[in-house]
Amino acid sequence: MSRVTPDRGELAGRWLSKFLTEHLAGERDLSPQTIASYRDAIKLLLTWFRDVQGTPPEKLRIADLDRSRVLAFLDWLEAARGNSPATRNQRLAVIKSFARYTAVERPEFLDHATQILAVKQKKTPATDMGYLTGDEVKALLAAPDPTTRRGLRDTVLLATLYDTAARVQEICDLNTADVRTADPMVVTLHGKGSKTRRVPVMDPTARLLQDYLDRRTPHPGVGADADPLFQGPHQT
C-alpha cells in the first residue's frame, strides 16, 4: 500500500479560513466571543510569521506550522510581547485545535499535527480565589432597600447571584422564562458556548424571586422568553 506524501507546498490560508468560519461556528457551535478569541490568536501567529519569519500570510504553508516554529512563536509571545504563561497556553490551545482540524481534513499531515499536539503547556501559578465571609454576605444582601422597586430588584439579583453561583453575564442574560416557579424553584442559566445548566435555589431565595416576579412590571411588547428578569434602573 502506497503512502500518501504531504504536499509540502500546500497553502494554509484556505484551511485557516475554513477553520474559523465553518468548523468553529458551524461544527463546534462556539460563541462569537470564543471565535473572536481564536481569530486574535491566529492573527498574532500570522503577524509573527510575517514580521519574524518573513513569510506573508498569503504564502504561509501548512508545512510551515511545525513544532519548532510553534515553540519559537510561543517564546516570542512571552519575550517580545510580555504575555503571561496563561496567555501563552491559550494561544497554544488555539494552534492545537487547528492542528487537530487539519489532521482530520488532511490526514497526510497527521504526523505533522501530532508533533504540535505534543507541545506541553507551561505551568501557571494557582489563582488565589477571594471569597466573602458569612457576615460580609449578609451585609451585602442587606445593603439595598427592599421597600423600593430598585432596591427589591437589587436584593433579588444579589441573592440569585449568590445562590446559583452564576457568572455576571449569565445573570444579565436571564429572562423571566428562565425561572421555573414550581417547587423546587429552578433557574436556567445560559453559559458560554451555548451551554445551559439548571440550578435549584434555596427556599429563602425562591420566596424573594416569587415576590419579585409578582411585583415587577413586564417589559412592554415582548414575551417571557425575551423579557429580562433584571431590567435596567428605568424599567424596574
Side-chain angles (χ1 to χ4, degrees):
M1 183 175 179
S2 61
R3 182 180 178 182
V4 178
T5 302
D7 180 0
R8 309 296 292 183
E10 182 166 3
L11 297 176
R14 173 193 176 198
W15 298 105
L16 284 169
S17 178
K18 289 169 68 70
F19 171 70
L20 290 170
T21 55
E22 298 178 12
H23 179 64
L24 297 181
E27 297 177 23
R28 294 185 58 186
D29 193 27
L30 298 183
S31 69
Q33 293 84 358
T34 302
I35 294 174
S37 177
Y38 275 61
R39 184 184 65 240
D40 290 344
I42 296 298
K43 182 178 178 180
L44 275 174
L45 181 64
L46 294 175
T47 299
W48 178 80
F49 267 105
R50 182 195 64 196
D51 296 346
V52 179
Q53 296 284 297
T55 304
E58 67 274 12
K59 292 186 178 180
L60 181 67
R61 304 170 301 167
I62 293 180
D64 292 329
L65 292 167
D66 57 18
R67 178 186 174 88
S68 63
R69 290 188 178 92
V70 168
L71 287 170
F73 166 68
L74 297 174
D75 290 341
W76 174 77
L77 288 177
E78 292 188 275
R81 294 183 60 85
N83 288 167
S84 66
T87 300
R88 174 193 186 275
N89 290 341
Q90 188 273 334
R91 306 305 188 196
L92 174 59
V94 172
I95 296 172
K96 285 185 175 182
S97 182
F98 178 66
R100 293 188 186 94
Y101 170 73
T102 55
V104 172
E105 295 294 327
R106 301 306 303 266
E108 61 268 33
F109 285 98
L110 178 58
D111 182 64
H112 194 81
T114 301
Q115 294 181 37
I116 294 176
L117 295 174
V119 176
K120 296 185 180 298
Q121 291 194 333
K122 276 198 170 183
K123 291 183 178 181
T124 57
T127 303
D128 184 15
M129 298 294 292
Y131 63 92
L132 298 176
T133 65
D135 289 340
E136 289 172 335
V137 171
K138 291 178 181 178
L140 182 64
L141 293 175
D145 180 3
T147 62
T148 66
R149 297 177 69 180
R150 182 169 180 174
L152 175 63
R153 181 206 62 184
D154 292 347
T155 299
V156 178
L157 188 154
L158 289 171
T160 305
L161 186 67
Y162 177 76
D163 210 2
T164 61
R167 299 181 179 90
V168 172
Q169 189 59 53
E170 291 174 336
I171 286 291
C172 293
D173 290 342
L174 278 177
N175 292 316
T176 54
D178 294 320
V179 180
R180 192 194 74 173
T181 56
D183 188 20
M185 182 176 284
V186 174
V187 175
T188 299
L189 300 173
H190 303 275
K192 295 181 178 180
S194 300
K195 296 179 181 178
T196 61
R197 64 184 192 278
R198 293 170 176 82
V199 184
V201 296
M202 294 184 292
D203 288 343
T205 302
R207 289 194 293 271
L208 280 172
L209 261 171
Q210 187 61 67
D211 181 53
Y212 172 71
L213 287 169
D214 292 340
R215 296 169 57 182
R216 71 185 290 280
T217 303
H219 193 289
V222 299
D225 59 339
D227 186 5
L229 179 62
F230 300 112
Q231 300 175 3
H234 302 296
Q235 297 173 319
T236 56

